[in-house]
Short mmCIF file of all heavy atoms in Angstrom, two decimals:
data_model
loop_
_atom_site.label_atom_id
_atom_site.label_comp_id
_atom_site.label_asym_id
_atom_site.label_seq_id
_atom_site.Cartn_x
_atom_site.Cartn_y
_atom_site.Cartn_z
N MET A 814 -74.62 31.19 35.33
CA MET A 814 -74.66 32.14 34.25
C MET A 814 -73.96 33.46 34.72
O MET A 814 -74.29 34.03 35.71
CB MET A 814 -76.06 32.45 33.85
CG MET A 814 -76.56 31.57 32.81
SD MET A 814 -76.89 32.31 31.18
CE MET A 814 -78.40 33.19 31.51
N HIS A 815 -72.96 33.85 33.99
CA HIS A 815 -72.20 35.06 34.33
C HIS A 815 -72.59 36.22 33.39
O HIS A 815 -72.78 35.99 32.26
CB HIS A 815 -70.72 34.84 34.38
CG HIS A 815 -70.31 33.97 35.49
ND1 HIS A 815 -70.24 34.47 36.77
CD2 HIS A 815 -70.02 32.64 35.60
CE1 HIS A 815 -69.86 33.47 37.58
NE2 HIS A 815 -69.79 32.38 36.82
N ASP A 816 -72.83 37.35 34.06
CA ASP A 816 -73.26 38.50 33.37
C ASP A 816 -72.25 39.58 33.44
O ASP A 816 -71.73 39.87 34.51
CB ASP A 816 -74.61 38.87 34.15
CG ASP A 816 -75.31 40.03 33.54
OD1 ASP A 816 -74.71 40.93 33.01
OD2 ASP A 816 -76.55 39.97 33.51
N GLN A 817 -72.02 40.25 32.39
CA GLN A 817 -70.96 41.32 32.36
C GLN A 817 -71.37 42.47 33.30
O GLN A 817 -70.52 43.16 33.89
CB GLN A 817 -70.83 41.89 31.00
CG GLN A 817 -70.08 40.99 29.99
CD GLN A 817 -69.91 41.71 28.69
OE1 GLN A 817 -70.64 42.53 28.27
NE2 GLN A 817 -68.81 41.35 27.94
N ASN A 818 -72.67 42.63 33.53
CA ASN A 818 -73.13 43.70 34.34
C ASN A 818 -73.17 43.34 35.86
O ASN A 818 -73.61 44.06 36.65
CB ASN A 818 -74.53 44.17 33.91
CG ASN A 818 -74.55 44.72 32.50
OD1 ASN A 818 -73.60 45.39 32.14
ND2 ASN A 818 -75.48 44.32 31.73
N GLY A 819 -72.69 42.08 36.14
CA GLY A 819 -72.69 41.59 37.54
C GLY A 819 -73.93 40.74 37.68
O GLY A 819 -74.38 40.13 36.77
N HIS A 820 -74.30 40.61 38.96
CA HIS A 820 -75.41 39.75 39.29
C HIS A 820 -76.63 40.52 39.60
O HIS A 820 -76.54 41.60 40.20
CB HIS A 820 -75.06 38.82 40.46
CG HIS A 820 -73.78 38.14 40.33
ND1 HIS A 820 -73.66 36.93 39.51
CD2 HIS A 820 -72.49 38.40 40.69
CE1 HIS A 820 -72.44 36.52 39.52
NE2 HIS A 820 -71.72 37.41 40.20
N ARG A 821 -77.82 39.89 39.29
CA ARG A 821 -79.03 40.66 39.65
C ARG A 821 -79.46 40.32 41.11
O ARG A 821 -79.64 39.22 41.48
CB ARG A 821 -80.16 40.14 38.71
CG ARG A 821 -81.46 40.96 38.88
CD ARG A 821 -82.49 40.49 37.89
NE ARG A 821 -83.77 41.14 38.13
CZ ARG A 821 -84.68 40.73 39.04
NH1 ARG A 821 -84.40 39.68 39.82
NH2 ARG A 821 -85.75 41.45 39.24
N CYS A 822 -79.47 41.46 41.89
CA CYS A 822 -79.85 41.36 43.28
C CYS A 822 -81.31 40.99 43.36
O CYS A 822 -82.17 41.62 42.73
CB CYS A 822 -79.54 42.77 43.95
SG CYS A 822 -80.15 42.81 45.63
N ILE A 823 -81.66 39.99 44.22
CA ILE A 823 -83.07 39.54 44.38
C ILE A 823 -83.80 40.50 45.23
O ILE A 823 -85.03 40.47 45.22
CB ILE A 823 -83.10 38.13 44.98
CG1 ILE A 823 -82.39 37.99 46.26
CG2 ILE A 823 -82.63 37.07 43.93
CD1 ILE A 823 -83.28 37.59 47.39
N ILE A 824 -83.18 41.40 45.94
CA ILE A 824 -83.89 42.34 46.81
C ILE A 824 -84.22 43.64 45.98
O ILE A 824 -85.44 44.02 45.89
CB ILE A 824 -83.06 42.71 48.03
CG1 ILE A 824 -82.70 41.53 48.85
CG2 ILE A 824 -83.87 43.76 48.90
CD1 ILE A 824 -83.83 40.80 49.47
N CYS A 825 -83.26 44.28 45.44
CA CYS A 825 -83.54 45.48 44.73
C CYS A 825 -83.62 45.34 43.24
O CYS A 825 -84.14 46.30 42.50
CB CYS A 825 -82.47 46.56 45.05
SG CYS A 825 -80.84 46.12 44.47
N GLY A 826 -83.28 44.19 42.67
CA GLY A 826 -83.51 43.83 41.27
C GLY A 826 -82.39 44.55 40.38
O GLY A 826 -82.46 44.43 39.21
N GLN A 827 -81.37 45.19 41.02
CA GLN A 827 -80.36 45.88 40.22
C GLN A 827 -79.17 44.98 39.96
O GLN A 827 -78.99 44.04 40.74
CB GLN A 827 -79.87 47.19 40.96
CG GLN A 827 -80.97 48.24 41.02
CD GLN A 827 -80.48 49.49 41.76
OE1 GLN A 827 -79.40 49.94 41.51
NE2 GLN A 827 -81.28 49.96 42.65
N HIS A 828 -78.44 45.26 38.93
CA HIS A 828 -77.20 44.40 38.64
C HIS A 828 -76.05 45.03 39.34
O HIS A 828 -75.71 46.22 39.21
CB HIS A 828 -77.00 44.37 37.17
CG HIS A 828 -77.97 43.43 36.46
ND1 HIS A 828 -79.25 43.83 36.14
CD2 HIS A 828 -77.80 42.13 36.11
CE1 HIS A 828 -79.84 42.79 35.63
NE2 HIS A 828 -79.04 41.78 35.58
N LYS A 829 -75.39 44.27 40.18
CA LYS A 829 -74.33 44.74 40.99
C LYS A 829 -73.15 43.72 40.92
O LYS A 829 -73.38 42.55 40.73
CB LYS A 829 -74.72 44.89 42.46
CG LYS A 829 -75.90 45.85 42.73
CD LYS A 829 -75.42 47.34 42.60
CE LYS A 829 -76.60 48.27 42.89
NZ LYS A 829 -76.99 48.30 44.27
N HIS A 830 -71.97 44.24 41.17
CA HIS A 830 -70.79 43.34 41.16
C HIS A 830 -70.47 42.89 42.49
O HIS A 830 -69.95 41.77 42.68
CB HIS A 830 -69.60 44.10 40.56
CG HIS A 830 -69.69 44.26 39.08
ND1 HIS A 830 -69.38 43.31 38.15
CD2 HIS A 830 -70.07 45.34 38.37
CE1 HIS A 830 -69.56 43.77 37.00
NE2 HIS A 830 -70.04 45.05 37.05
N GLU A 831 -70.72 43.67 43.51
CA GLU A 831 -70.34 43.35 44.92
C GLU A 831 -71.57 42.90 45.69
O GLU A 831 -72.62 43.55 45.67
CB GLU A 831 -69.74 44.62 45.58
CG GLU A 831 -68.57 45.20 44.94
CD GLU A 831 -67.37 44.23 44.84
OE1 GLU A 831 -67.18 43.45 45.76
OE2 GLU A 831 -66.68 44.21 43.79
N GLY A 832 -71.42 41.73 46.32
CA GLY A 832 -72.51 41.26 47.11
C GLY A 832 -72.23 39.86 47.60
O GLY A 832 -71.17 39.33 47.50
N ILE A 833 -73.30 39.22 48.08
CA ILE A 833 -73.17 37.83 48.66
C ILE A 833 -74.21 36.93 48.03
O ILE A 833 -75.26 37.44 47.48
CB ILE A 833 -73.30 37.89 50.20
CG1 ILE A 833 -74.70 38.46 50.61
CG2 ILE A 833 -72.17 38.52 50.84
CD1 ILE A 833 -75.10 38.10 52.04
N PHE A 834 -73.99 35.68 48.12
CA PHE A 834 -74.93 34.70 47.70
C PHE A 834 -75.51 33.91 48.83
O PHE A 834 -74.89 33.42 49.71
CB PHE A 834 -74.30 33.63 46.72
CG PHE A 834 -74.02 34.17 45.38
CD1 PHE A 834 -72.83 34.78 45.03
CD2 PHE A 834 -74.99 34.08 44.45
CE1 PHE A 834 -72.60 35.27 43.77
CE2 PHE A 834 -74.72 34.57 43.14
CZ PHE A 834 -73.54 35.16 42.77
N ILE A 835 -76.87 33.89 48.84
CA ILE A 835 -77.60 33.17 49.87
C ILE A 835 -78.52 32.19 49.07
O ILE A 835 -79.29 32.52 48.28
CB ILE A 835 -78.40 34.05 50.76
CG1 ILE A 835 -77.50 35.00 51.53
CG2 ILE A 835 -79.31 33.22 51.69
CD1 ILE A 835 -78.26 35.96 52.40
N VAL A 836 -78.33 30.88 49.38
CA VAL A 836 -79.12 29.87 48.70
C VAL A 836 -78.99 30.05 47.20
O VAL A 836 -79.96 29.97 46.43
CB VAL A 836 -80.58 29.79 49.11
CG1 VAL A 836 -81.19 28.38 48.79
CG2 VAL A 836 -80.69 29.94 50.63
N SER A 837 -77.77 30.32 46.73
CA SER A 837 -77.49 30.60 45.30
C SER A 837 -78.04 31.82 44.69
O SER A 837 -78.00 32.10 43.50
CB SER A 837 -77.64 29.37 44.42
OG SER A 837 -79.09 29.27 44.10
N GLU A 838 -78.78 32.63 45.46
CA GLU A 838 -79.34 33.87 45.01
C GLU A 838 -78.44 34.97 45.44
O GLU A 838 -77.88 35.00 46.57
CB GLU A 838 -80.73 34.02 45.49
CG GLU A 838 -81.70 32.99 45.03
CD GLU A 838 -81.90 32.97 43.58
OE1 GLU A 838 -81.81 34.00 42.92
OE2 GLU A 838 -82.35 31.93 43.11
N PHE A 839 -78.30 36.06 44.60
CA PHE A 839 -77.45 37.14 44.88
C PHE A 839 -78.10 38.28 45.66
O PHE A 839 -79.24 38.63 45.24
CB PHE A 839 -76.82 37.71 43.52
CG PHE A 839 -75.91 38.78 43.64
CD1 PHE A 839 -74.61 38.63 44.15
CD2 PHE A 839 -76.35 40.05 43.29
CE1 PHE A 839 -73.73 39.67 44.26
CE2 PHE A 839 -75.42 41.16 43.46
CZ PHE A 839 -74.14 40.94 43.89
N ILE A 840 -77.46 38.78 46.62
CA ILE A 840 -77.89 39.99 47.30
C ILE A 840 -76.73 40.99 47.28
O ILE A 840 -75.60 40.61 47.69
CB ILE A 840 -78.31 39.66 48.77
CG1 ILE A 840 -79.57 38.69 48.78
CG2 ILE A 840 -78.63 40.92 49.58
CD1 ILE A 840 -79.92 38.28 50.16
N CYS A 841 -76.96 42.18 46.78
CA CYS A 841 -75.89 43.20 46.64
C CYS A 841 -75.47 43.63 48.00
O CYS A 841 -76.17 43.55 49.00
CB CYS A 841 -76.31 44.27 45.66
SG CYS A 841 -77.44 45.48 46.37
N ASP A 842 -74.29 44.27 47.97
CA ASP A 842 -73.68 44.83 49.24
C ASP A 842 -74.65 45.81 49.93
O ASP A 842 -74.78 45.74 51.14
CB ASP A 842 -72.44 45.65 48.83
CG ASP A 842 -71.18 44.75 49.11
OD1 ASP A 842 -71.31 43.61 49.59
OD2 ASP A 842 -70.03 45.29 49.00
N ALA A 843 -75.25 46.67 49.13
CA ALA A 843 -76.13 47.69 49.72
C ALA A 843 -77.28 47.11 50.48
O ALA A 843 -77.65 47.46 51.52
CB ALA A 843 -76.56 48.63 48.61
N CYS A 844 -77.91 46.08 49.82
CA CYS A 844 -79.00 45.39 50.44
C CYS A 844 -78.59 44.53 51.60
O CYS A 844 -79.35 44.50 52.63
CB CYS A 844 -79.78 44.54 49.40
SG CYS A 844 -80.62 45.56 48.21
N GLU A 845 -77.42 43.93 51.57
CA GLU A 845 -76.95 43.09 52.58
C GLU A 845 -76.75 44.05 53.83
O GLU A 845 -77.10 43.63 54.93
CB GLU A 845 -75.62 42.40 52.25
CG GLU A 845 -75.23 41.31 53.16
CD GLU A 845 -73.74 41.35 53.53
OE1 GLU A 845 -72.98 41.76 52.60
OE2 GLU A 845 -73.39 40.76 54.54
N VAL A 846 -76.10 45.15 53.66
CA VAL A 846 -75.86 46.07 54.77
C VAL A 846 -77.19 46.55 55.36
O VAL A 846 -77.30 46.61 56.56
CB VAL A 846 -74.97 47.31 54.28
CG1 VAL A 846 -75.00 48.40 55.28
CG2 VAL A 846 -73.57 46.85 53.95
N GLU A 847 -78.10 46.82 54.48
CA GLU A 847 -79.44 47.26 54.95
C GLU A 847 -80.13 46.15 55.79
O GLU A 847 -80.72 46.39 56.80
CB GLU A 847 -80.24 47.70 53.74
CG GLU A 847 -81.10 48.84 54.05
CD GLU A 847 -81.90 49.28 52.78
OE1 GLU A 847 -81.48 49.24 51.68
OE2 GLU A 847 -83.01 49.73 53.08
N MET A 848 -80.00 44.93 55.27
CA MET A 848 -80.61 43.87 56.06
C MET A 848 -80.06 43.65 57.38
O MET A 848 -80.70 43.45 58.38
CB MET A 848 -80.33 42.50 55.26
CG MET A 848 -81.34 42.23 54.15
SD MET A 848 -80.98 40.61 53.39
CE MET A 848 -81.65 39.44 54.52
N VAL A 849 -78.66 43.78 57.46
CA VAL A 849 -77.95 43.63 58.74
C VAL A 849 -78.34 44.74 59.68
O VAL A 849 -78.51 44.49 60.90
CB VAL A 849 -76.45 43.65 58.48
CG1 VAL A 849 -75.67 43.77 59.75
CG2 VAL A 849 -76.01 42.36 57.78
N HIS A 850 -78.59 45.87 59.19
CA HIS A 850 -78.89 47.01 60.03
C HIS A 850 -80.43 47.22 60.27
O HIS A 850 -80.85 48.18 60.94
CB HIS A 850 -78.31 48.29 59.44
CG HIS A 850 -76.85 48.32 59.62
ND1 HIS A 850 -76.18 48.73 60.68
CD2 HIS A 850 -75.88 47.91 58.71
CE1 HIS A 850 -74.87 48.65 60.45
NE2 HIS A 850 -74.62 48.10 59.37
N THR A 851 -81.24 46.39 59.59
CA THR A 851 -82.64 46.50 59.81
C THR A 851 -83.10 45.78 61.01
O THR A 851 -82.80 44.62 61.25
CB THR A 851 -83.39 45.92 58.49
OG1 THR A 851 -82.96 46.58 57.39
CG2 THR A 851 -84.86 46.08 58.66
N ASP A 852 -83.92 46.53 61.77
CA ASP A 852 -84.47 45.93 63.00
C ASP A 852 -85.57 44.96 62.73
O ASP A 852 -86.23 45.14 61.77
CB ASP A 852 -84.94 47.09 63.91
CG ASP A 852 -85.21 46.59 65.32
OD1 ASP A 852 -86.30 46.04 65.60
OD2 ASP A 852 -84.37 46.87 66.16
N ALA A 853 -85.61 43.90 63.48
CA ALA A 853 -86.63 42.84 63.21
C ALA A 853 -88.06 43.44 63.35
O ALA A 853 -89.01 42.75 62.85
CB ALA A 853 -86.43 41.70 64.18
N THR A 854 -88.23 44.50 64.03
CA THR A 854 -89.52 45.09 64.13
C THR A 854 -89.93 46.02 63.01
O THR A 854 -91.04 46.46 62.88
CB THR A 854 -89.63 45.85 65.43
OG1 THR A 854 -88.67 46.92 65.50
CG2 THR A 854 -89.47 44.97 66.71
N ASP A 855 -88.93 46.29 62.21
CA ASP A 855 -89.11 47.19 61.01
C ASP A 855 -89.88 46.46 59.94
O ASP A 855 -89.56 45.25 59.63
CB ASP A 855 -87.69 47.60 60.54
CG ASP A 855 -87.79 48.74 59.54
OD1 ASP A 855 -88.60 48.74 58.67
OD2 ASP A 855 -86.96 49.65 59.69
N ALA A 856 -90.78 47.12 59.29
CA ALA A 856 -91.56 46.48 58.29
C ALA A 856 -90.71 46.08 57.14
O ALA A 856 -90.96 45.05 56.46
CB ALA A 856 -92.61 47.54 57.75
N LYS A 857 -89.63 46.70 56.90
CA LYS A 857 -88.70 46.42 55.81
C LYS A 857 -88.06 45.06 56.06
O LYS A 857 -87.75 44.32 55.10
CB LYS A 857 -87.65 47.51 55.68
CG LYS A 857 -87.08 47.60 54.25
CD LYS A 857 -86.25 48.87 54.08
CE LYS A 857 -85.92 49.13 52.64
NZ LYS A 857 -85.19 50.38 52.45
N TYR A 858 -87.82 44.75 57.33
CA TYR A 858 -87.21 43.46 57.62
C TYR A 858 -88.10 42.31 57.10
O TYR A 858 -87.66 41.30 56.62
CB TYR A 858 -87.05 43.34 59.14
CG TYR A 858 -86.50 42.04 59.61
CD1 TYR A 858 -85.11 41.82 59.62
CD2 TYR A 858 -87.27 41.00 60.10
CE1 TYR A 858 -84.57 40.59 60.14
CE2 TYR A 858 -86.81 39.80 60.54
CZ TYR A 858 -85.41 39.63 60.61
OH TYR A 858 -84.95 38.40 60.98
N HIS A 859 -89.41 42.46 57.29
CA HIS A 859 -90.32 41.47 56.82
C HIS A 859 -90.31 41.36 55.32
O HIS A 859 -90.57 40.30 54.74
CB HIS A 859 -91.75 41.75 57.40
CG HIS A 859 -91.78 41.61 58.85
ND1 HIS A 859 -91.80 40.37 59.52
CD2 HIS A 859 -91.75 42.49 59.86
CE1 HIS A 859 -91.71 40.57 60.80
NE2 HIS A 859 -91.68 41.89 61.07
N PHE A 860 -90.13 42.53 54.63
CA PHE A 860 -90.00 42.51 53.22
C PHE A 860 -88.85 41.64 52.74
O PHE A 860 -88.88 40.80 51.89
CB PHE A 860 -89.78 43.92 52.66
CG PHE A 860 -89.45 44.05 51.22
CD1 PHE A 860 -90.32 43.68 50.27
CD2 PHE A 860 -88.16 44.32 50.87
CE1 PHE A 860 -89.98 43.80 48.89
CE2 PHE A 860 -87.72 44.39 49.53
CZ PHE A 860 -88.66 44.12 48.53
N PHE A 861 -87.70 41.79 53.45
CA PHE A 861 -86.51 41.00 53.17
C PHE A 861 -86.78 39.52 53.38
O PHE A 861 -86.48 38.72 52.53
CB PHE A 861 -85.30 41.47 54.03
CG PHE A 861 -84.74 42.76 53.63
CD1 PHE A 861 -84.44 43.78 54.57
CD2 PHE A 861 -84.40 43.08 52.29
CE1 PHE A 861 -83.92 44.94 54.29
CE2 PHE A 861 -83.77 44.29 51.93
CZ PHE A 861 -83.59 45.28 52.94
N ILE A 862 -87.40 39.22 54.50
CA ILE A 862 -87.71 37.83 54.81
C ILE A 862 -88.56 37.25 53.80
O ILE A 862 -88.40 36.05 53.41
CB ILE A 862 -88.21 37.72 56.33
CG1 ILE A 862 -87.21 38.23 57.31
CG2 ILE A 862 -88.68 36.24 56.56
CD1 ILE A 862 -85.83 37.45 57.30
N ASP A 863 -89.60 37.98 53.43
CA ASP A 863 -90.50 37.51 52.33
C ASP A 863 -89.77 37.18 51.05
O ASP A 863 -90.06 36.19 50.41
CB ASP A 863 -91.58 38.58 52.08
CG ASP A 863 -92.67 38.53 53.14
OD1 ASP A 863 -92.79 37.60 53.93
OD2 ASP A 863 -93.51 39.43 53.19
N GLN A 864 -88.91 38.08 50.70
CA GLN A 864 -88.03 37.83 49.51
C GLN A 864 -87.26 36.49 49.59
O GLN A 864 -87.22 35.69 48.66
CB GLN A 864 -87.06 38.98 49.28
CG GLN A 864 -87.77 40.29 48.93
CD GLN A 864 -88.44 40.31 47.66
OE1 GLN A 864 -89.66 40.10 47.59
NE2 GLN A 864 -87.77 40.57 46.54
N LEU A 865 -86.68 36.33 50.77
CA LEU A 865 -85.87 35.13 51.04
C LEU A 865 -86.72 33.90 51.03
O LEU A 865 -86.40 32.82 50.52
CB LEU A 865 -85.04 35.24 52.29
CG LEU A 865 -83.97 36.31 52.30
CD1 LEU A 865 -83.35 36.40 53.69
CD2 LEU A 865 -82.88 35.87 51.23
N LYS A 866 -87.91 33.96 51.62
CA LYS A 866 -88.90 32.83 51.70
C LYS A 866 -89.25 32.41 50.25
O LYS A 866 -89.40 31.24 50.02
CB LYS A 866 -90.16 33.27 52.46
CG LYS A 866 -89.98 33.06 53.97
CD LYS A 866 -91.36 33.40 54.64
CE LYS A 866 -91.26 33.41 56.09
NZ LYS A 866 -92.37 34.07 56.75
N GLN A 867 -89.50 33.40 49.45
CA GLN A 867 -89.79 33.07 48.06
C GLN A 867 -88.75 32.23 47.41
O GLN A 867 -89.07 31.30 46.67
CB GLN A 867 -89.97 34.35 47.19
CG GLN A 867 -91.26 35.01 47.43
CD GLN A 867 -91.45 36.30 46.66
OE1 GLN A 867 -90.93 36.42 45.59
NE2 GLN A 867 -92.10 37.36 47.30
N ILE A 868 -87.50 32.53 47.67
CA ILE A 868 -86.41 31.71 47.14
C ILE A 868 -86.45 30.29 47.67
O ILE A 868 -86.42 29.34 46.98
CB ILE A 868 -85.03 32.31 47.55
CG1 ILE A 868 -84.92 33.77 46.97
CG2 ILE A 868 -83.87 31.42 47.07
CD1 ILE A 868 -83.77 34.49 47.64
N TRP A 869 -86.69 30.20 48.95
CA TRP A 869 -86.66 28.84 49.57
C TRP A 869 -87.88 28.04 49.01
O TRP A 869 -87.72 26.82 48.84
CB TRP A 869 -86.68 28.98 51.11
CG TRP A 869 -85.36 29.46 51.69
CD1 TRP A 869 -84.15 29.04 51.26
CD2 TRP A 869 -85.13 30.39 52.73
NE1 TRP A 869 -83.16 29.70 52.01
CE2 TRP A 869 -83.76 30.54 52.89
CE3 TRP A 869 -86.06 31.13 53.56
CZ2 TRP A 869 -83.26 31.42 53.86
CZ3 TRP A 869 -85.51 32.02 54.54
CH2 TRP A 869 -84.14 32.10 54.66
N VAL A 870 -88.98 28.70 48.87
CA VAL A 870 -90.16 28.06 48.36
C VAL A 870 -89.89 27.57 46.93
O VAL A 870 -90.17 26.36 46.65
CB VAL A 870 -91.41 29.01 48.40
CG1 VAL A 870 -92.54 28.39 47.60
CG2 VAL A 870 -91.86 29.19 49.85
N GLN A 871 -89.17 28.36 46.15
CA GLN A 871 -88.91 27.97 44.78
C GLN A 871 -87.92 26.81 44.76
O GLN A 871 -88.04 25.92 43.96
CB GLN A 871 -88.29 29.17 44.03
CG GLN A 871 -89.31 30.21 43.56
CD GLN A 871 -88.69 31.52 43.11
OE1 GLN A 871 -87.49 31.51 42.71
NE2 GLN A 871 -89.41 32.61 43.20
N LYS A 872 -86.96 26.84 45.70
CA LYS A 872 -85.97 25.77 45.76
C LYS A 872 -86.55 24.44 46.14
O LYS A 872 -86.12 23.39 45.74
CB LYS A 872 -84.87 26.17 46.70
CG LYS A 872 -84.00 27.36 46.35
CD LYS A 872 -83.11 27.18 45.09
CE LYS A 872 -82.53 28.49 44.73
NZ LYS A 872 -81.82 28.36 43.35
N ASN A 873 -87.54 24.50 46.99
CA ASN A 873 -88.17 23.31 47.53
C ASN A 873 -89.41 22.85 46.62
O ASN A 873 -89.97 21.84 47.03
CB ASN A 873 -88.56 23.50 48.95
CG ASN A 873 -87.37 23.72 49.87
OD1 ASN A 873 -86.39 23.05 49.68
ND2 ASN A 873 -87.47 24.60 50.81
N ALA A 874 -89.81 23.68 45.69
CA ALA A 874 -90.92 23.31 44.92
C ALA A 874 -90.69 22.10 44.02
O ALA A 874 -89.57 21.80 43.56
CB ALA A 874 -91.38 24.47 44.07
ZN1 ZN B 1473 -79.68 44.97 46.03
#
């Protein structure tokens, strides 16, 4: 499904045009950059991983 407003980012929930797809889910540029720069010990990193886990769980359900 293509949306004139772009794709809905699974991390921030905003509609963006620039970003990447992981397991067919969209992650905007801003969140992708943030993920890359987030340290594994940072609480936010676990938030990102949790978001991604939810996708994988859904895909495997
Ligand atoms: Zn985002």
Side-chain angles (χ1 to χ4, degrees):
M814 274 244 287
H815 290 282
D816 183 322
Q817 285 186 332
N818 297 319
H820 305 282
R821 185 177 176 278
C822 172
I823 57 120
I824 305 292
C825 66
Q827 292 181 45
H828 286 81
K829 300 282 180 71
H830 289 278
E831 303 298 323
I833 57 161
F834 282 92
I835 296 177
V836 200
S837 82
E838 299 294 337
F839 181 75
I840 296 177
C841 76
D842 260 5
C844 291
E845 192 221 336
V846 167
E847 219 178 323
M848 275 181 80
V849 169
H850 290 274
T851 301
D852 195 278
T854 59
D855 193 314
K857 208 165 189 180
Y858 178 85
H859 295 285
F860 169 75
F861 287 131
I862 298 302
D863 280 347
Q864 295 293 95
L865 291 173
K866 273 185 188 163
Q867 281 178 34
I868 298 164
W869 289 320
V870 168
Q871 282 167 25
K872 298 287 173 192
N873 294 324

